Amino acid sequence: GAVAGINGDFFDIGRTNAPAGPAVAHGRPVKAAVPPGRRMGPAVPGAEIDYVFTVGTDRVARIDRLRLEAQVTGPSGTHQVAALNQYAVPVDGIGIFNRDWGAVDRAWTLCGTDVDRTAPCAADQAEVLVRDGAVVRAGPLANGRIPDREVALTGREKGAAAVRSLQVGDRVDVEYALVPASGHAPELAVGGSPIMFDGEPVPGLDHRERAPRSAVGTSADGRRMWLMTLDGRQSDSVGATLRELAALLRELGMDDAVNLDGGGSSTLVLRDPGVTEVKIVNDPSGSSPRLVPNGIGIYSRSVDRVPVTG
């Protein structure tokens, strides 16, 4: 039912295909950010992994940061949780997984370290499934989708020891929230690297590598939003560096903006009035459109075309 849309965050392509940064949909926290050393995408000065582009419940768009606050309380005490539906559970950490994780093998989330994606999987692992506040299964990691009423608590190293202390039948309280630095609750959030604040490009942006780009930006009052793709890696369009991208966004009138996943992921779609399906309006650099895990959709009750910069 969308009238327009753009691809979202960088993601764990070829493995879990999960986004790197936090995500919120319909005001509900979907996932938190992976450890900084497991970030996907180009390095951007000052861009922490928990940065997001959000539209708040106040209907104002802004760049924000979403910090995970989560804990598990059971007979053995209260244990802090370091991950929510993330493709990388931090070393010694506990992760919460629910139906939003999907059917991908959760064992992938315990591989690598906080600084080395290619490191071996954690030798010490444990998992329990919690249904309606009680542990219903304990043991090695299970496969498959997690039912709506269940939550998986998955741990590695010290986190595995904490998870292993929970036994079938134990009452467990699982709490989690994504806390916005701005204090404004998000209705929508996708991860991205800020490349412009207050109408000024972030200092030190890369000026060497040109590639297809996707970006989302907002006006100073947060009441107007731009979705933009820039084609690249083609004979008629070489793409842009991050510095060039930020300069272009400033020329278009944006005040704050984030860089989204680019390259073969850059995709902008539009649905013409009276048409039931969207069409791709940019020229993706891949041989076929790439499946991406999240994005920003624009919905309207009006039959009029939504303005889109492509």
Side-chain angles (χ1 to χ4, degrees):
V3 295
I6 196 169
N7 65 283
D9 195 5
F10 288 88
F11 62 101
D12 187 30
I13 189 168
R15 295 184 70 177
T16 65
N17 291 321
V24 173
H26 305 293
R28 179 174 54 83
V30 175
K31 67 173 301 294
V34 298
R38 299 293 298 276
R39 178 191 196 114
M40 307 295 289
V44 175
E48 300 295 339
I49 190 63
D50 60 357
Y51 267 112
V52 289
F53 185 89
T54 78
V55 177
T57 55
D58 57 357
R59 304 187 66 80
V60 174
R62 57 176 60 87
I63 295 176
D64 210 341
R65 297 180 69 174
L66 294 179
R67 182 185 75 257
L68 176 66
E69 288 189 358
Q71 62 184 22
V72 174
T73 303
S76 60
T78 297
H79 308 285
Q80 297 304 307
V81 171
L84 171 64
N85 292 326
Q86 295 166 211
Y87 65 73
V89 175
V91 172
D92 291 325
I94 298 172
I96 295 173
F97 294 86
N98 57 29
R99 62 184 175 85
D100 290 320
W101 175 249
V104 176
D105 188 351
R106 294 187 292 281
W108 281 113
T109 70
L110 305 183
C111 297
T113 68
D114 297 351
V115 296
D116 183 4
R117 169 186 170 92
T118 64
C121 300
D124 191 8
Q125 306 179 6
E127 182 177 84
V128 298
L129 289 180
V130 177
R131 180 191 303 136
D132 298 332
V135 176
V136 295
R137 192 189 75 83
L141 271 66
N143 255 325
R145 292 184 180 274
I146 300 170
D148 285 352
R149 294 166 53 199
E150 293 187 4
V151 172
L153 303 177
T154 303
R156 57 179 296 175
E157 294 95 17
K158 293 179 181 178
V163 170
R164 202 174 289 115
S165 70
L166 300 173
Q167 303 297 317
V168 173
D170 285 348
R171 300 299 300 178
V172 178
D173 184 26
V174 181
E175 300 177 292
Y176 62 89
L178 292 177
V179 180
S182 68
H184 296 282
E187 178 70 16
L188 152 80
V190 294
S193 299
I195 56 174
M196 190 164 65
F197 286 110
D198 299 324
E200 292 298 326
V202 170
L205 291 174
D206 178 70
H207 63 282
R208 296 177 297 275
E209 182 180 357
R210 289 189 171 91
R213 304 289 181 184
S214 291
V216 56
T218 181
S219 56
D221 62 3
R223 298 293 182 179
R224 187 178 184 189
M225 183 172 72
W226 287 261
L227 308 179
M228 195 199 79
T229 58
L230 194 152
D231 292 336
R233 297 175 183 165
Q234 301 176 35
S235 60
D236 59 347
S237 179
V238 296
T241 66
L242 288 178
R243 183 185 295 181
E244 290 169 338
L245 177 63
L248 176 59
L249 301 182
R250 179 172 58 180
E251 290 178 14
L252 292 172
M254 301 182 209
D255 197 67
D256 295 337
V258 302
N259 179 54
L260 301 172
D261 191 7
S265 297
S266 286
T267 310
L268 190 69
V269 299
L270 178 68
R271 178 165 62 86
D272 289 317
V275 177
T276 58
E277 295 183 353
V278 296
K279 63 179 179 181
I280 298 175
V281 295
N282 71 309
D283 191 4
S285 62
S287 57
S288 62
R290 175 183 291 170
L291 286 172
V292 297
N294 65 3
I296 299 173
I298 305 297
Y299 299 81
S300 175
R301 295 185 179 91
S302 170
V303 296
D304 295 330
R305 179 192 294 268
V306 174
V308 175
T309 300

